[in-house]
C-alpha cells in the first residue's frame, strides 16, 4: 500500500513513479471528491464507509482472478527505487507488503489494524508510537519487528552515503527521512514497539513509510546479523552497510521472467510472488502465513496488456478486471457489453502533464522555446476531443497540486496563473522560435507506448506546433520509463505522462525541489525549494495554502512544464466479480484486490 512521503507514482498510462509518485494535492486539507460507480461494484457486500468492505469471516477461494493495469513489464519485488516506483509495478508490489494504513476510495487514510496500530503521543516535538501486532510475521515465519522499520528509515536516509549526500548509499525514491526523523525508529530491534520523533512538524506523518522490505534478508545479504545491521544503521556506519545497500539497490531486480530466490522474497502482506512469464504476466498466490484477514481469492494474475486489447480480453473472459486509459472508444465498447460487465467511473487524483527537460545542452533550457511550446500546445482542443466525451465537466487543468474538482482550486489558480497560455498563439510562438534562432528544432515528446490517447495528444501538438517552427517528433517508447530507458537517459525534450496522487500534502517536494529523486527533468529553483521546505514543516493549512500558491506561480513563471487535464477514471470488471470498487487515488482499481472474489 503506497502512501508514504514519497511523491506521486508516475505511470498512469505513462508511467513510472507517483509519486509519484506518491501523492497529493496540496493547498490546505481539501479532500478529494468521492467518486460514484456506474456498476454494482460491491457485489452485495455491505460498505459502511469508503475504506475496505466488511466481508466478515473470509475463506480463501481456490480460484484465479485475471487483471491488467497496462502493458509495462513487472520490474522488481523492490518497488521503492526511482526506476521501479510506478503505478504499474506498485499494483503488484502493494499486494505483498503491509503498511500501517491505506487510502480508501475517497483518498482518506484508514488504519490497517492487521499490521498494528499507531498513536500521536506528543505534538512538541511531534512523536508517534507504533505497535506491531504480536502475530505479524513475514511469510518465512520471521517476526515483523522494529528492525524492519529501521530498514525503512535507512533506505530513505541521505546521511548514509558514500562521502556526500549526492552519493546516497540506498537508491531510494524517497530520501528525506534521515533529516526529518534524525534518530530514526527507537526501540529494541527485535521488539514490537517503536517511537519516531520528528525534527519539525510534518503534515503527512500519518502516511510515512515505516514498513518496506524485510530487514533480515537485507542484513543477511550484507553479511550481517539483523542486530548488526540495525546497529550499523543507528551508528551511521555507511562502510559496514555497503554490501547490504548494494543488494537492496540491485539484488531484487532480475531478468524479466526470473524471480529472485524464494528465500530472498518473503512478504508481509496477503499475497506472495508465485510465477513470472516475461512479457506476459505475474501471478501472485495467497500467503499461507498471513496473520491478517485472508485474501478472498487464492491467485491474482496480472497480465501485461496494452489498452487496445483490454476490452476484447474482458469480453472473451481472458481477463476479469481491466483498467484501461480512458478513451471515448473504450467507454463505448464497454457500454456495448451491457450487463456482462460492471463499469467503474469517477474523479481521480491523476493528472496529465508535459514536462520540460532542463538537462544541460537540451533545447528546452532556453526559456523562449519553452514559452513558444506552451503557446502552441492546443490544450483546450485536447480536452474537448479526448476528455470531455468521458467527463462533460472536464476543464483544462492549470495547477499541479490542486485538482479542478477541489474546493480551493479557483483560489489557487487566481493567485498562480494569469491565463497567458489559454489560447493557441501560433504567430507569437513562431516569433519566439525565430528570435531564438531555433526554426526547425526537433522536439521529441517521450511517453510510454503504446498509448492511443497519448499518440493522439502528440498528433494534436504536432499539427499545431509544427506551424510555429518546431519539428515535433513522436518519441513514444515501450521502455520509456524502464531502468536505463529514455527518461532516465534524458533523451527527450518533453516528457508526457501522468502523476497519480494519494492525498499527500507534501508529495510535490519530491518532484519539483532541487535534486529530489522524482525530479526527472533536473529542474532547480531556490525559491521553490524554500517554499516546499516551509510547507513541509508546518501543520497549518493556511501555510499550506499560502506556499502552494507561491509554488504554483513560480512553476508557471519558470515554465517547469504544462499541466493539461485531470484524468477521468475508467475501469471495468466481469459482472461475476464482486467487490471491485473505484478509488480516486494512485492505487487504482486494484487497491482492494485482496477482497475480490468470483460469485458462485
Amino acid at each position: 500500500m503506497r502512501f508514504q512521503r514519497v511523491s506521486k507514482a508516475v505511470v498512469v498510462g505513462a508511467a513510472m513513479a507517483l509519486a509519484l509518485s506518491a501523492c497529493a494535492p496540496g493547498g490546505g486539507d481539501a479532500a478529494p471528491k468521492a467518486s460514484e460507480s456506474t456498476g454494482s461494484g460491491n457485489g452485495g457486500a455491505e460498505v459502511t464507509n469508503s475504506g475496505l468492505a466488511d466481508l466478515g469471516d473470509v475463506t480463501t477461494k481456490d480460484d484465479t482472478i485475471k487483471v491488467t493495469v497496462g502493458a509495462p513489464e513487472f520490474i522488481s519485488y523492490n518497488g521503492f527505487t526511482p526506476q521501479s516506483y510506478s503505478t504499474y509495478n506498485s499494483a503488484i508490489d502493494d499486494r505483498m507488503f503491509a503498511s500501517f494504513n491505506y487510502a480508501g476510495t475517497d483518498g482518506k487514510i484508514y488504519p490497517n489494524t492487521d499490521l498494528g496500530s499507531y498513536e500521536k503521543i506528543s505534538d512538541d516535538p511531534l512523536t508517534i508510537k507504533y505497535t506491531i501486532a504480536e502475530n505479524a510475521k513475514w511469510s518465512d515465519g520471521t517476526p515483523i519487528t522494529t528492525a524492519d522499520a529501521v530498514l525503512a528509515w535507512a533506505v530513505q536516509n541521505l546521511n548514509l552515503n558514500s562521502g556526500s549526500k549526492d552519493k546516497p548509499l540506498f537508491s531510494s525514491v524517497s530520501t528525506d527521512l534521515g533529516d526529518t526523523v534524525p534518530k530514526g525508529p527507537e526501540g529494541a530491534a527485535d521488539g514490537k514497539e517503536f517511537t519516531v520523533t520528528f525534527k519539525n512538524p510534518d503534515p503527512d506523518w500519518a502516511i510515512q513509510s515505516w514498513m518496506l522490505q524485510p530487514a533480515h534478508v537485507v542484513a543477511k545479504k550484507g553479511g550481517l546479523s539483523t542486530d548488526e545491521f540495525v546497529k550499523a544503521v543507528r551508528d551511521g556506519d555507511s562502510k559496514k552497510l555497503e554490501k547490504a545497500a548494494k543488494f537492496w539497490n540491485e539484488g531484487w531486480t532480475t531478468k524479466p521472467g526470473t524471480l529472485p530466490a524464494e528465500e530472498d522474497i518473503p512478504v508481509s502482506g496477503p499475497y506472495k510472488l508465485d510465477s513470472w512469464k516475461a512479457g506476459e504476466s505475474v501471478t501472485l498466490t495467497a500467503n499461507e502465513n498471513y496473520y491478517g484477514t485472508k485474501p478472498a481469492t487464492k491467485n491474482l494474475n496480472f497480465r501485461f496488456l496494452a489498452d487496445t486489447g483490454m476490452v476484447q480480453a474482458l469480453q472473451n473472459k481472458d481477463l476479469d478486471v481491466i483498467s484501461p486509459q480512458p478513451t471515448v472508444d473504450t467507454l463505448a465498447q464497454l457500454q456495448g457489453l451491457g450487463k456482462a460487465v460492471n463499469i467503474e467511473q469517477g474523479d481521480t487524483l491523476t493528472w496529465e502533464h508535459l514536462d520540460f527537460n532542463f538537462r544541460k545542452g537540451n533545447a528546452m533550457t532556453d526559456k523562449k522555446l519553452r514559452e513558444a511550446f506552451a503557446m502552441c500546445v492546443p490544450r483546450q482542443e485536447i480536452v474537448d476531443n479526448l476528455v470531455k466525451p468521458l467527463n462533460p465537466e472536464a476543464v483544462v487543468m492549470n495547477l499541479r497540486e490542486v485538482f479542478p474538482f477541489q474546493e480551493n482550486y479557483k483560489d489557487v489558480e487566481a493567485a498562480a496563473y494569469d491565463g497567458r497560455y489559454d489560447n493557441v498563439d501560433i504567430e507569437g510562438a513562431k516569433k519566439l522560435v525565430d528570435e531564438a534562432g531555433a526554426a526547425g528544432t526537433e522536439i521529441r515528446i517521450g511517453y510510454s507506448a503504446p498509448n492511443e490517447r497519448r499518440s493522439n495528444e502528440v498528433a494534436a501538438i504536432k499539427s499545431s506546433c509544427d506551424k510555429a517552427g518546431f519539428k515535433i517528433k513522436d518519441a513514444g517508447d515501450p521502455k520509456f520509463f524502464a531502468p536505463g530507458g529514455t527518461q532516465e537517459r534524458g533523451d527527450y525534450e518533453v516528457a508526457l505522462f501522468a502523476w497519480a496522487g494519494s492525498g499527500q500534502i507534501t508529495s510535490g517536494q519530491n518532484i519539483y525541489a532541487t535534486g529530489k529523486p522524482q525530479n526527472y527533468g533536473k529542474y532547480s529553483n531556490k525559491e521553490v525549494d524554500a517554499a516546499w521546505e516551509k510547507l513541509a514543516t508546518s501543520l497549518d493549512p493556511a501555510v499550506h495554502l499560502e506556499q502552494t500558491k507561491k509554488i504554483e506561480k513560480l512553476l508557471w513563471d519558470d515554465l517547469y512544464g504544462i499541466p493539461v487535464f485531470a484524468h477521468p477514471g475508467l475501469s471495468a470488471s466481469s459482472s461475476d466479480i464482486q467487490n471491485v470498487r473505484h478509488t480516486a487515488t494512485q492505487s487504482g482499481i486494484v487497491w482492494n484486490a485482496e477482497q475480490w472474489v468470483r460469485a458462485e
Side-chain angles (χ1 to χ4, degrees):
M1 299 174 183
R2 254 305 161 243
F3 304 104
Q4 49 276 324
R5 264 191 72 102
V6 179
S7 179
K8 318 180 170 185
V10 106
V11 188
V12 196
M16 260 220 13
L18 132 220
L20 7 10
S21 122
C23 356
D29 57 355
K33 175 175 148 187
S35 304
E36 298 297 327
S37 165
T38 60
S40 62
N42 298 324
E46 183 179 357
V47 181
T48 56
N49 56 39
S50 295
L52 291 169
D54 181 5
L55 303 183
D57 293 333
V58 175
T59 299
T60 302
K61 186 174 184 178
D62 189 3
D63 189 16
T64 299
I65 291 179
K66 295 166 287 186
V67 57
T68 185
V69 295
E73 181 75 69
F74 178 61
I75 299 173
S76 178
Y77 160 96
N78 180 3
F80 212 68
T81 70
Q83 295 78 26
S84 62
Y85 188 72
S86 75
T87 55
Y88 298 127
N89 204 74
S90 296
I92 297 172
D93 275 352
D94 288 356
R95 316 280 72 77
M96 300 190 289
F97 296 101
S99 171
F100 282 103
N101 47 56
Y102 68 93
T105 61
D106 53 2
K108 293 181 180 179
I109 302 303
Y110 295 86
N112 173 22
T113 54
D114 284 351
L115 178 62
S117 62
Y118 54 93
E119 61 176 324
K120 182 169 62 172
I121 59 177
S122 171
D123 282 313
D124 188 18
L126 178 62
T127 307
I128 317 300
K129 179 182 178 181
Y130 289 84
T131 302
I132 303 166
E134 276 299 320
N135 63 341
K137 59 186 177 181
W138 294 94
S139 56
D140 62 4
T142 303
I144 298 174
T145 66
T146 297
D148 299 303
V150 172
L151 170 64
W153 180 66
V155 304
Q156 300 174 78
N157 186 352
L158 283 182
N159 298 315
L160 295 172
N161 56 64
S162 301
S164 76
K165 288 189 175 183
D166 293 330
K167 298 178 181 179
L169 207 57
F170 293 90
S171 178
S172 168
V173 71
S174 177
T175 60
D176 64 350
L177 202 49
D179 290 330
T180 57
V181 182
K183 292 183 179 180
E186 299 177 81
D190 60 353
K192 290 282 190 175
E193 293 183 352
F194 64 92
T195 59
V196 295
T197 303
F198 287 81
K199 182 179 179 180
N200 296 300
D202 186 331
D204 289 317
W205 67 265
I207 53 176
Q208 179 62 60
S209 297
W210 290 113
M211 284 291 152
L212 295 174
Q213 300 82 23
H216 64 285
V217 171
V218 176
K220 183 179 179 180
K221 290 297 182 177
L224 304 168
S225 69
T226 303
D227 284 343
E228 288 172 335
F229 175 80
V230 170
K231 185 177 187 306
V233 171
R234 287 173 166 171
D235 290 346
D237 192 345
S238 296
K239 187 68 177 176
K240 197 168 187 176
L241 293 168
E242 284 181 351
K243 188 176 179 182
K246 181 175 175 59
F247 173 78
W248 189 90
N249 294 338
E250 304 170 5
W252 283 309
T253 302
T254 53
K255 179 182 177 182
T258 303
L259 291 177
E262 185 176 359
E263 63 267 24
D264 294 343
I265 52 173
V267 300
S268 59
Y271 284 99
K272 63 183 182 179
L273 285 166
D274 180 69
S275 62
W276 180 4
K277 295 181 180 179
E280 184 177 325
S281 68
V282 159
T283 298
L284 301 181
T285 193
N287 169 13
E288 64 275 14
N289 290 325
Y290 187 54
Y291 45 88
T293 303
K294 302 299 182 183
T297 298
K298 182 177 180 180
N299 302 312
L300 295 177
N301 178 251
F302 285 83
R303 290 274 305 277
F304 313 136
L305 186 65
D307 301 282
T308 51
M310 289 186 187
V311 176
Q312 187 65 55
L314 184 65
Q315 182 178 12
N316 295 345
K317 298 190 179 300
D318 294 327
L319 284 170
D320 298 302
V321 183
I322 65 172
S323 184
Q325 285 290 299
T327 68
V328 180
D329 290 342
T330 299
L331 178 59
Q333 290 168 19
L334 287 171
Q335 290 171 333
L337 299 182
K339 294 182 179 180
V341 301
N342 290 328
I343 301 172
E344 303 287 335
Q345 289 182 273
D347 291 324
T348 74
L349 293 174
T350 297
W351 60 284
E352 195 88 343
H353 52 95
L354 294 149
D355 287 355
F356 294 119
N357 189 343
F358 289 83
R359 289 173 174 84
K360 185 177 180 181
N362 193 281
M364 286 310 186
T365 57
D366 187 332
K367 189 178 180 184
K368 281 188 176 181
L369 294 188
R370 298 200 301 276
E371 290 175 339
F373 185 82
M375 292 166 73
C376 66
V377 171
R379 293 193 297 158
Q380 188 65 59
E381 176 189 328
I382 289 170
V383 170
D384 288 345
N385 293 340
L386 302 179
V387 186
K388 277 195 174 183
L390 293 161
N391 176 12
E393 297 180 6
V395 297
V396 171
M397 188 165 167
N398 291 320
L399 300 177
R400 303 153 183 86
E401 295 297 299
V402 190
F403 285 72
F405 53 83
Q406 293 180 311
E407 64 182 34
N408 58 349
Y409 178 82
K410 289 293 185 184
D411 183 24
V412 178
E413 182 186 40
Y417 174 66
D418 61 7
R420 71 184 70 180
Y421 303 115
D422 281 357
N423 301 308
V424 171
D425 181 359
I426 297 299
E427 290 305 314
K430 188 174 187 305
K431 181 181 178 182
L432 289 175
V433 171
D434 290 342
E435 287 177 0
T441 296
E442 183 177 80
I443 303 298
R444 297 164 295 174
I445 301 181
Y447 62 96
S448 181
N451 187 303
E452 179 184 357
R453 187 177 65 202
R454 293 215 166 91
S455 341
N456 289 336
E457 288 178 61
V458 174
I461 294 170
K462 180 175 177 61
S463 177
S464 179
C465 291
D466 278 6
K467 297 172 185 174
F470 289 119
K471 185 178 180 181
I472 303 298
K473 179 181 179 181
D474 184 324
D477 180 357
K479 295 183 178 181
F480 187 79
F481 292 100
T486 311
Q487 185 195 44
E488 189 174 307
R489 296 195 308 269
D491 292 341
Y492 64 92
E493 279 67 51
V494 178
L496 172 61
F497 60 97
W499 288 118
S502 69
Q504 185 180 342
I505 294 170
T506 63
S507 63
Q509 186 174 28
N510 209 42
I511 298 171
Y512 307 113
T514 303
K516 292 295 185 178
Q518 290 181 298
N519 185 345
Y520 299 121
K522 309 301 182 186
Y523 168 78
S524 180
N525 181 316
K526 290 182 179 179
E527 288 185 81
V528 171
D529 297 346
W532 272 118
E533 190 62 29
K534 189 169 184 179
L535 187 156
T537 55
S538 173
L539 299 178
D540 186 350
V543 173
H544 301 163
L545 180 60
E546 174 192 16
Q547 296 307 310
T548 296
K549 289 178 178 179
K550 184 174 182 179
I551 290 165
E552 292 280 11
K553 186 176 189 309
L554 287 167
L555 293 175
W556 269 119
D557 290 345
D558 284 348
L559 262 182
Y560 165 90
I562 308 168
V564 188
F565 58 83
H567 281 213
L570 176 64
S571 299
S573 58
S574 175
S575 58
D576 64 342
I577 304 299
Q578 297 179 341
N579 305 321
V580 178
R581 298 166 62 198
H582 172 80
T583 180
T585 70
Q586 67 184 31
S587 294
I589 197 64
V590 298
W591 76 278
N592 70 331
E594 62 271 22
Q595 294 196 322
W596 296 351
V597 65
R598 196 181 309 275
E600 297 291 346

